[in-house]
């Protein structure tokens, strides 16, 4: 089947994804559900995986990386309780899919990716899709992006052995961060909220992400 220019087919697959994979599993945040019904996930998938773009699993995007499963993306976005005025830091741009969702949900998005080729492709695609409130930065996301800190929320799409301290330091009071923490085989999402200057940690779902690879000695995570 030729999926190359079939936006109405993709729109109906996307609507089904929202109902069957997200609402049915308890995702309730209507802004998150709306954003996921709008953002064309197939545009972020490599050509040969495009027909699977709305299936219930992650997709390979090259460089050994993946676009996360739609459900885990929705779960993380809902947990962050985002407001339209928020400024958000993303670590691990990858394809730019989650970046696009963030751009729909908040005022300003800063996204750090260590692979220059992935960052460049994501930046081009986000421009082509008309997102103007996003900045993609090539660098080591374990160090965050201090120039634009503090952030109302931080979302990390790769698993660290420990919570990177630089990221905690770049959260505003009341700010939230969600990230997978653990080893290659055993990871859990942690939702951290800064209250009275202190991080409060809530352990959430078990998950499986690619590793967060630190290129800098300071704040090394693995
Ligand atoms: N949210 C992405 C998922 C990408 S997979 C999407 O929707 O497509 C995780 C990404 O994290 C990969 O692209 C990987 O290169 C990147 N990554 C891993 N360690 C990193 C680090 N220290 N800094 C920035 N990006 C990192």
């Amino acid at each position: 089947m030729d999926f190359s220019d079939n936006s109405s087919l993709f729109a109906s697959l996307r609507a089904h994804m929202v109902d069957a994979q997200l609402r049915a599993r308890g995702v309730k945040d209507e802004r998150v559900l709306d954003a996921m019904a709008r953002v064309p996930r197939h545009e972020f998938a490599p050509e040969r995986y495009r027909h699977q773009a709305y299936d219930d699993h992650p997709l390979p995007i090259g460089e050994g990386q993946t676009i996360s499963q739609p459900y885990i993306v929705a779960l993380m976005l809902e947990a962050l309780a985002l407001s339209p005025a928020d400024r958000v830091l993303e670590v691990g741009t990858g394809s730019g899919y989650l970046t696009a969702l963030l751009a729909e949900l908040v005022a300003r998005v800063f996204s750090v990716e260590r692979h220059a080729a992935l960052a460049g492709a994501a930046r081009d695609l986000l421009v082509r899709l008309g997102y103007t409130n996003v900045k993609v930065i090539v660098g080591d996301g374990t160090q965050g992006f201090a120039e634009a800190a503090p952030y109302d929320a931080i979302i990390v799409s790769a698993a660290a052995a420990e919570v990177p301290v630089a990221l905690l330091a770049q959260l505003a009071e009341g700010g939230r961060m969600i990230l997978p923490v653990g080893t290659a085989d055993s990871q859990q999402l942690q939702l951290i909220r800064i209250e009275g200057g202190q991080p409060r940690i809530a352990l959430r779902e078990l998950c499986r992400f690619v590793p967060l690879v630190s290129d800098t000695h300071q704040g090394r995570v693995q």
Side-chain angles (χ1 to χ4, degrees):
M1 202 182 292
D2 179 12
F3 284 90
S4 56
D5 185 27
N6 206 335
S7 50
S8 66
L9 171 61
F10 281 127
S12 74
L13 290 172
R14 195 154 62 240
H16 184 258
M17 170 191 87
V18 169
D19 286 338
Q21 298 172 35
L22 311 182
R23 275 188 208 280
R25 289 187 184 133
V27 178
K28 291 187 183 61
D29 185 327
E30 288 296 334
R31 294 186 68 238
V32 169
L33 293 166
D34 276 1
M36 295 201 59
R38 273 197 307 273
V39 172
R41 193 169 193 267
H42 62 278
E43 296 274 2
F44 296 85
E47 193 75 49
R48 67 197 163 111
Y49 292 111
R50 209 151 271 185
H51 63 291
Q52 298 179 25
Y54 298 101
D55 291 357
D56 191 16
H57 53 72
L59 292 173
I61 53 171
E63 313 281 356
Q65 307 302 327
T66 55
I67 316 186
S68 310
Q69 178 196 20
Y71 175 60
I72 199 91
V73 172
L75 202 82
M76 291 172 82
L77 288 171
E78 182 169 63
L80 286 174
L82 298 169
S83 299
D86 283 351
R87 291 156 44 82
V88 176
L89 175 69
E90 175 187 32
V91 175
T93 317
S95 67
Y97 173 62
L98 175 53
T99 325
L101 290 166
L102 290 168
E104 296 266 351
L105 290 166
V106 302
R108 193 87 179 97
V109 183
F110 299 86
S111 184
V112 184
E113 169 58 54
R114 66 186 286 275
H115 269 293
L118 291 176
R123 190 185 287 128
D124 291 350
L125 179 53
L126 291 163
V127 167
R128 177 160 76 72
L129 294 176
Y131 293 105
T132 54
N133 56 343
V134 174
K135 184 176 170 72
V136 177
I137 301 118
V138 178
D140 178 4
T142 62
Q143 302 305 304
F145 183 59
E147 287 92 315
Y151 302 98
D152 301 298
I154 299 180
I155 184 164
V156 184
S157 301
E162 290 169 17
V163 178
V165 286
L167 297 183
L168 280 179
Q170 291 175 23
L171 274 175
E173 174 62 25
R176 293 83 60 205
M177 169 155 72
I178 192 152
L179 78 171
V181 178
T183 61
D185 304 322
S186 167
Q187 302 164 11
Q188 188 166 19
L189 288 176
Q190 294 195 7
L191 177 64
I192 300 175
R193 188 185 175 86
I194 306 294
E195 282 173 28
Q198 295 301 312
R200 309 273 175 225
I201 301 180
L203 297 178
R204 299 280 311 246
E205 291 73 8
L206 298 176
C207 56
R208 192 167 191 142
F209 283 79
V210 297
L212 185 70
V213 181
S214 180
D215 307 307
T216 359
H217 186 64
Q218 194 195 7
R220 192 171 204 94
V221 289
Q222 52 170 30

